[in-house]
Amino acid sequence: MSDLCRIGILKLGCIGAAPLLDLILDERAERKDIAVRVVTTGASMDPVNCEEATAKLAEMSPGLVIIVSPNASLPGPTQAREYLLKMKLPVLSISDGPSKKAFYTKDEKGKSVVSIPDGSGFIVLPMDPMIGARKEYLDPTEMAIFNAELIKLFSCTGVIRFLQFEVDKLTDSLKAGTELKLPKITLTTEKALEHAGFANPYAYAKAYASLTMVESVAGVTSNACFKEKNPEVYVPAVAAAHEILRAAARLADEAREIEKQNDTVLRTSHGSSGKASKKIQLKEKPK
Amino acid sequence: MSDLCRIGILKLGCIGAAPLLDLILDERAERKDIAVRVVTTGASMDPVNCEEATAKLAEMSPGLVIIVSPNASLPGPTQAREYLLKMKLPVLSISDGPSKKAFYTKDEKGKSVVSIPDGSGFIVLPMDPMIGARKEYLDPTEMAIFNAELIKLFSCTGVIRFLQFEVDKLTDSLKAGTELKLPKITLTTEKALEHAGFANPYAYAKAYASLTMVESVAGVTSNACFKEKNPEVYVPAVAAAHEILRAAARLADEAREIEKQNDTVLRTSHGSSGKASKKIQLKEKPK
Amino acid sequence: MSDLCRIGILKLGCIGAAPLLDLILDERAERKDIAVRVVTTGASMDPVNCEEATAKLAEMSPGLVIIVSPNASLPGPTQAREYLLKMKLPVLSISDGPSKKAFYTKDEKGKSVVSIPDGSGFIVLPMDPMIGARKEYLDPTEMAIFNAELIKLFSCTGVIRFLQFEVDKLTDSLKAGTELKLPKITLTTEKALEHAGFANPYAYAKAYASLTMVESVAGVTSNACFKEKNPEVYVPAVAAAHEILRAAARLADEAREIEKQNDTVLRTSHGSSGKASKKIQLKEKPK
Amino acid sequence: MSDLCRIGILKLGCIGAAPLLDLILDERAERKDIAVRVVTTGASMDPVNCEEATAKLAEMSPGLVIIVSPNASLPGPTQAREYLLKMKLPVLSISDGPSKKAFYTKDEKGKSVVSIPDGSGFIVLPMDPMIGARKEYLDPTEMAIFNAELIKLFSCTGVIRFLQFEVDKLTDSLKAGTELKLPKITLTTEKALEHAGFANPYAYAKAYASLTMVESVAGVTSNACFKEKNPEVYVPAVAAAHEILRAAARLADEAREIEKQNDTVLRTSHGSSGKASKKIQLKEKPK
Amino acid sequence: MSDLCRIGILKLGCIGAAPLLDLILDERAERKDIAVRVVTTGASMDPVNCEEATAKLAEMSPGLVIIVSPNASLPGPTQAREYLLKMKLPVLSISDGPSKKAFYTKDEKGKSVVSIPDGSGFIVLPMDPMIGARKEYLDPTEMAIFNAELIKLFSCTGVIRFLQFEVDKLTDSLKAGTELKLPKITLTTEKALEHAGFANPYAYAKAYASLTMVESVAGVTSNACFKEKNPEVYVPAVAAAHEILRAAARLADEAREIEKQNDTVLRTSHGSSGKASKKIQLKEKPK
Amino acid sequence: MSDLCRIGILKLGCIGAAPLLDLILDERAERKDIAVRVVTTGASMDPVNCEEATAKLAEMSPGLVIIVSPNASLPGPTQAREYLLKMKLPVLSISDGPSKKAFYTKDEKGKSVVSIPDGSGFIVLPMDPMIGARKEYLDPTEMAIFNAELIKLFSCTGVIRFLQFEVDKLTDSLKAGTELKLPKITLTTEKALEHAGFANPYAYAKAYASLTMVESVAGVTSNACFKEKNPEVYVPAVAAAHEILRAAARLADEAREIEKQNDTVLRTSHGSSGKASKKIQLKEKPK
């Protein structure tokens, strides 16, 4: 198996895009063209933990490393990027809204412009909100529910397929030995929805609403986790944030149900060669 | 950080219990008493991939390794267990229904009895069903939906808390330096529900129904994936299997909503010392 | 009115297919070609009760007798069949899963083969599960709910139309004076769904899921009613079984709603001559 | 078995109260104190059919006959009552709204007063509406759905328990050999709800609404079936009538779900001696 | 701005059609062709209040006055009509079911015939029911919920568009200087639904059911408010009436959702010139 | 009737708080202590229209004028306030988020401080979002739906009761002849929820989520209405905004349903004297 086709994934802490990222590349475990290696530190973003995990992943000679983490500007992910770039490994960072400060700077006119080292790229997901991380509320069960709702939402609104396509492009490039064009993208609602492939405009509108709602979660949780000191204030707030997510996931699910009702669900499975097919009607063959 | 408190997790292929397993140990990333290291091969259970991942994980000197995989009797996970046991590392396998053949044998009377090497334990989850892995149906998006529904279901029915408690016991033992008592358990519906902590008997009944329903998924998917050759037969079957899961997840969610309506949701957060607290009413303090 | 066109129905105890069976033959009470006579013993399957009812029905000179009962291998239904066959009356038994032992035997190779007397036929409905017959749970109200959910499910998944068509074929034969070809069928999910006439593949998948779910009810109820002695165990179990049914009925209803949303509901009304028409769009005329 | 304890039920045509009436008396088939005999003509109310069925039932020497039919003032049921009374058999008629004209007359002041022969009684159920009996709409499947919804509604709103209690009183009297006090009742919404045993006032209100809604169905169906000639008018009307019922059944179900959420569902199971017990919490024993 | 194009609206007390009536004329505040003036007395129908409000409105020289009120035969609205007619102002009354006595009389054969003064017209809305006006139940919050549900229902079932079109016709006539043809209509379910523009026949049936249900509300509320003296009776009754409305509004919403799922929602926006356009698919341009 | 007790309401254009504002003061039309006079210009905020309406309202000698309008800083409402203040009439403005600029200024340190003339007050409702005012989407029917959803949401989340209490305080003061303390408040989520009176913390959290969601609507609509030029972009955006509102209203409704399930709905009816009572359980008397 050629080193070029090895995809390394480094998960430092958790965002909604992280738990299934490696599985998105090979959803039925049938691909013959890639090998995936993932190292993670669990929930921890502690720089010492991150460093060890990064080194271990690098030892497995990936042709590309995808780092997925909350706030990519924190020391853990930042040092991981630096280490990997020093090792001449191409790095794609996938992170949440606050990570913009890692990838953008202001130009002299005060306009936000991309500013990252060569050999690196990023995908910022503003729809991947902070969890309601308060001890009075968030136990492992509630944490799992939050991630389940978020994954459901990402699936139904095109975020998962967007990630699939971006990584597929890189994998194809690695396989072909062409120059890697690492994406430098902040994912918008519209761009995510393009990938969802909705045929019905109201399904589209519901998914749009869902993505807008989930973007509003981060404001509530970050305030409740970082600013509020009073449990009587922050406990209801984090509970409310999770309710917004639950409502948003339900709306995304409704959008997909409409497409099912019209038999217009887009499917893009990987074949064993790694090529993604495309089909719409459930009874048709993937093309 | 002492080696005894390092928890290694090896994910070989995917089951519903896998994606968030490491996060369950430290849901708010606040624990000071453990370090978690995870290595995975993504979706692949290919023995070569598994071997490399196993070795990498072992290099990080975990005090305990949890292997989570589908069907633990397949070569990949089997060799991983053997390797780790040879390294004198305690191994807990978490797997799905078909893995029973890896852990049980028949005694002379034909009764099923546990048969595993010293230093190893297992948790069999019969409620963690095979996905509808047919190319005409399962693309990355549908795969993610399946896992999201399953995680939601596990959260609301006590499976997640059961896993939390089992791993917490091992972690406590590692920290205390006492002899590790590795579990040897096939999780039943009743045992899962005990951990859900339902106060309302109809919420309990709905969650019970949910777990029963999800157990029936595997029969449909394994038949559709392994026996049926005709897409006109197996495509509707895998679609139906995912609909069963969706209905089961909804029922589990309804059960939790009832507890919310009565303000009787059990929460068991980890503190920074690793101790799990307990609370019922949302306004009370964790104890 | 000719004797040949008299349909006798003997209801011994109750299964889901029983309460409306006679009404399925003539849904608007407009048929001029048949007379229906039904005798039942209520809930009782006591052989003495069954015997009296059987004799009374036979006195009314039906051209065909349909016996509908739980477990057709029990003494009550068995003796009824024998009595009617001795009277030279053709007998069609409609019963649930456990009744297979009344109609099938193993051949020398251990394969299950049909084994019934001439002049008799059967329809086994594995999707017609035992009710949660525990005194702590099942009162007349809960019993009625169970049957209502089951009838709803049978209607939306094609079971009702399957029964209609099987009996219609027999009635047509009786009227034409041709040889009666009594069915010998265990109804499968696929065969039921063929009769549902779904146009949308996801509606089909939901109905498929519904039938799979309802088949899992019997395992829970029979265990809870016949094996468990402890009310703390069997009461939640029967409650859970009814919740599975409720969820399954809801899913079946969703499947039909999808067809309504696409105006593709199949309708097969009997005309006054007994011939069943067919139509799809609500506004079109029955053909 | 003593003749006094034999309950005869004559079903002439179908109303919602009919299909399960015999099963309500002995929901788990455990009673030792009664025998139930039912004869029906299926959907037909043709006087010739009714006469034969009535005679057959009378031959089985019931101590009491319950006639359940639509519009008890039609010739079929009327002649059945007369025949049975002539045989000195006590007769309880259970029928729908239009049957009032069979049991009430106007006194000189124009007030409605009960007017029935000695030895007879009646229960009028104004909430048991006519079905949408138009060939373009009503096939066996749609008929079964209508009855399923209606039975569900009756169960959740107390109508089933009302019927249970009324028949239980008569059975007790038959067994004790005391004078039969046959009811002469038009069931009101309030009286039905008394039997539902709601603890939560909003559950009560929802069930009240459900019963009010179902009473409005008959106006739509009878107009669409008997007055309208134009299918473009009557087809949507009968479809609408069934939608009202569906909505009403859903509301009744919601009412019961609220009671489940508060663990306050009343249950009144029959013991083997025929005595009805009573319990509220699911975990308590029937008393 | 010409006086002819001034529309005066007098709201005396509240019915469901009242709160948004003025906004229906110019939903995006873009019309250049009309001016709207509204005077109301709030909830009060006291004749003194009504008189003052009527005079004030008349002072603003409207070319047409629409009076919207409960029961148009009460003194307040009656005197308002008389005053305005005396002022030679054309008057259109919009009111609820009980207002029929203001606009109809019996002819010699006992048939109901329209009987109103020249220069006046009316729209009777039998689907605009009395609220549950009991102090134990109805506070400002519950009142607002009732109106919100009713407005939702009117929107989804065509009542709002019917009102739009009737007023649009009058406005066009005023602008063109042609003779005003004031409508004299009791709105039927069928006529309302014509304006809803449903493409799917089951959506139509659900909306039909919704309108039928809402018509049954008035019977419950008027009885509970005017006849019943006992709070134990009238409080549950008014609560039930509001539950009927809630269920009816939900059904109307479901009907519209079906049209959204088929992308067949009719839209009839006003342009700045006052002309109403028409479109069906969301992506098409208004015509 | 004393002039002091006359409440004048001036509605200039429409926000969600406007349509029922006058009815909130006297929900059952039973109050003897106040007279309400409302003048509106319909949807128009044109200064000429506003001026005429303002003058007319002033002529009716109100003791207090409440102006309700979108963006109170626009010329129409601004001139209305100035005119009324010149007439020495106390003025309370109720408006939406953008109106902050009418009532706040920055102090020298850049902090936002209240800055309004004596004799005036304001209530800013940031949860009262702009409608999706695009001709391709918003017709009278869609406009009515938006307002219905918004009123439902305001009712269930405490906004309506907040408005009731604020106006009640002013009315009491007017009646008592004490100095009017006009509120100067931007309503927060927490303050609204205080008035909702939730007993269950998850109901509170759902309502909190609902209010957070509705606040996010304005960003979408104002961008779609004022910035975007391309219908392919702004039509889906306004449709999405209405879907957010629909989801938010549903969540608010769920919150209230939970309180109904626990029989803890707060009710604050006005008596005929104008005093607001208070009750919790549906069966208790208002106090």
Side-chain angles (χ1 to χ4, degrees), chain F residues 207-253:
Chain F
Y208 190 128
S210 174
L211 284 166
T212 305
M213 283 155 66
V214 81
E215 275 206 48
S216 75
V217 169
V220 180
T221 47
S222 60
N223 190 61
C225 294
F226 299 138
K227 293 187 196 150
E228 277 298 338
K229 304 292 180 211
N230 183 353
E232 287 180 28
V233 176
Y234 67 65
V235 171
V238 294
H242 284 226
E243 291 291 343
I244 297 173
L245 175 58
R246 186 172 176 269
R250 181 165 55 175
L251 204 52
D253 179 70

Side-chain angles (χ1 to χ4, degrees), chain F residues 15 78 107 130 135 141-142 156 176 179 204-205 248 252-253 262-264 266 282-283:
Chain F
I15 60 171
T78 301
D107 67 10
M130 188 191 174
K135 192 187 169 190
T141 294
E142 195 75 56
C156 297
E179 193 195 354
Y204 182 97
D253 179 70
N262 292 319
D263 195 14
T264 52
L266 174 63
L282 186 57
K283 286 187 180 170

Side-chain angles (χ1 to χ4, degrees), chain D residues 37 47 53-54 65 96 103 112 141 184-185 198 224 229 258 283:
Chain D
R37 290 294 175 275
T54 309
V65 176
D96 56 12
F103 308 124
S112 187
T141 294
K184 300 172 184 67
I185 303 176
F198 289 111
K229 303 292 181 212
I258 291 176
K283 286 189 180 169

Side-chain angles (χ1 to χ4, degrees), chain E residues 1 6 11 13-14 19-20 22-30 34-45 48-50 52-53 56 59-61 131-145 147-149 151-152 154-156 160-161 164 231 235-236 239 243 246 253-254 256-257 260 265-272 275 277 279 282-286, chain F residues 1 6 11 13-14 19-20 22-30 34-45 48-50 52-53 56 59-61 131-145 147-149 151-152 154-156 160-161 164 231 235-236 239 243 246 253-254 256-257 260 265-272 275 277 279 282-286:
Chain E
M1 195 170 284
R6 293 172 81 92
K11 301 182 183 177
C14 183
L20 304 185
D22 41 322
L23 302 166
I24 290 171
L25 307 195
D26 187 13
E27 68 276 9
R28 291 184 320 289
E30 290 183 357
I34 59 168
V36 176
R37 291 292 176 274
V38 190
V39 181
T40 98
T41 54
S44 172
M45 298 184 72
V48 176
N49 283 328
C50 292
E52 182 181 334
K56 275 295 155 201
E59 288 172 23
M60 291 189 274
S61 321
I131 201 168
R134 281 297 194 171
K135 192 188 170 189
E136 291 88 348
Y137 182 72
L138 198 80
D139 69 345
T141 294
E142 196 75 53
M143 178 277 297
I145 289 173
N147 279 287
E149 300 285 16
I151 293 166
K152 183 84 184 280
F154 283 175
S155 306
C156 298
I160 293 289
R161 185 169 290 113
Q164 174 193 353
V235 171
E243 292 289 343
R246 185 171 176 270
D253 179 71
E254 280 178 31
R256 190 171 175 90
E257 287 294 306
K260 286 162 71 177
V265 177
L266 174 62
R267 295 176 190 278
T268 54
S269 310
H270 288 106
S272 58
K275 201 176 160 308
S277 61
K279 62 176 281 192
L282 186 56
K283 286 187 181 170
E284 74 182 315
K285 286 200 176 176
Chain F
M1 195 169 284
R6 293 172 82 93
K11 300 183 184 178
C14 183
L20 303 184
D22 43 322
L23 302 166
I24 290 171
L25 309 195
D26 188 12
E27 68 276 10
R28 290 184 319 289
E30 290 183 358
I34 58 168
V36 175
R37 290 294 176 274
V38 190
V39 181
T40 97
T41 55
S44 172
M45 297 184 73
V48 176
N49 283 330
C50 292
E52 180 180 336
K56 273 297 154 201
E59 288 172 22
M60 291 189 274
S61 321
I131 202 168
R134 281 296 194 174
K135 192 187 169 190
E136 291 88 347
Y137 182 72
L138 197 81
D139 70 345
T141 294
E142 195 75 56
M143 178 278 299
I145 289 173
N147 280 287
E149 301 286 16
I151 293 167
K152 184 81 183 283
F154 284 175
S155 305
C156 297
I160 293 290
R161 186 169 290 112
Q164 172 192 355
V235 171
E243 291 291 343
R246 186 172 176 269
D253 179 70
E254 281 177 31
R256 190 171 175 91
E257 287 296 304
K260 285 161 71 177
V265 178
L266 174 63
R267 296 177 188 278
T268 54
S269 311
H270 289 106
S272 58
K275 202 177 157 306
S277 61
K279 62 176 282 193
L282 186 57
K283 286 187 180 170
E284 72 181 316
K285 286 201 176 174

Side-chain angles (χ1 to χ4, degrees), chain B residues 31-51:
Chain B
R31 289 182 71 171
K32 308 291 184 207
D33 61 325
I34 58 167
V36 176
R37 291 293 175 275
V38 190
V39 181
T40 98
T41 55
S44 172
M45 297 185 72
D46 178 82
V48 176
N49 283 329
C50 292
E51 193 184 340

